[in-house]
Each structure stands twice: as C-alpha cells, then as structure tokens.
Amino acid sequence: MNDDQLDGLTGDVFDITELLDYQSGAIVSRTLIDKESATVTLFAVAEGQTISEHTAPHDAIMQVLDGTATVTIDDSEYEVSGGESLVFPANEPHALEGKESFKMLLTMVR
C-alpha cells in the first residue's frame, strides 16, 4: 500500500465511519496506513459474521466505532460497543463476532 489511501483525506475533517460501508453477509476492510512500524485498518463487519480465532505477532488495539462486537481473547469474552476499545496482546489467540453489525479501527504496532 502507498500513502494514496490518506492523500484524499489530508487537511479535511471527516467521519471515519463513512470511509467504509457495510455489506450484507460480509466483512470488508480498508487499510489506511501500512508502514513498517504500524498498520491501521478499518473494518465493517456485518451482523452474524465472524473473524475466526487467530494470533498476531504484535500488540494491537481495537477501537469500536459503531455497533457491538463480541471478542474472545484466550479464554475471556468481552462485549465491546461504539466508543470502547480493547487490546489484543501479541501471540494471544483472539476472535471476533458481530452480534450486530459493527465497525472498528484496528491499529497494530510492530
């Protein structure tokens, strides 16, 4: 990815939730920043969709922008709603489910 993802946004005030629309029965994403030191990705997860259990080699922070997600980290379950955040520790298994449609911004620091 190049910096073009942000070029159209520089100098403008914008609603980040409007950068990506929900699609019925799908998970859509848009990578806003992809650098050696960090990635920032916007996700729109339709109701009932899941991101299956996986691990990542780096810490990440999930910021829920809209809706509600059920998140499992290791053996603990969390319900996270718009305006709330949750940290995914490196190398810990985690999964997400859209109990209702939700949008999140995921920032992973390498």
Side-chain angles (χ1 to χ4, degrees):
M1 188 194 108
N2 57 39
D3 292 329
D4 293 343
Q5 286 290 328
L6 297 179
D7 283 349
L9 304 174
T10 302
D12 292 330
V13 174
F14 61 94
D15 181 342
I16 198 162
T17 63
E18 293 180 3
L19 296 179
L20 200 59
D21 293 325
Y22 291 111
Q23 292 182 14
S24 180
I27 298 171
V28 292
S29 66
R30 178 177 176 186
T31 300
L32 302 176
I33 298 172
D34 188 0
K35 302 285 186 185
E36 190 173 320
S37 59
T39 58
V40 177
T41 307
L42 179 62
F43 289 86
V45 180
E47 181 178 353
Q49 296 301 300
T50 62
I51 298 175
S52 61
E53 186 175 85
H54 62 284
T55 60
H58 308 286
D59 291 335
I61 185 166
M62 165 197 197
Q63 297 169 276
V64 178
L65 307 170
D66 179 53
T68 302
T70 300
V71 179
T72 304
I73 300 175
D74 205 8
D75 290 328
S76 299
E77 189 172 283
Y78 307 88
E79 187 170 291
V80 190
S81 297
E84 297 179 326
S85 300
L86 189 61
V87 172
F88 298 136
N91 302 311
E92 290 288 327
H94 55 277
L96 296 89
E97 180 179 357
K99 293 293 185 180
E100 63 181 53
S101 295
F102 74 95
K103 290 183 183 178
M104 71 172 180
L105 191 65
L106 185 69
T107 303
M108 184 180 299
V109 180
R110 299 179 182 145

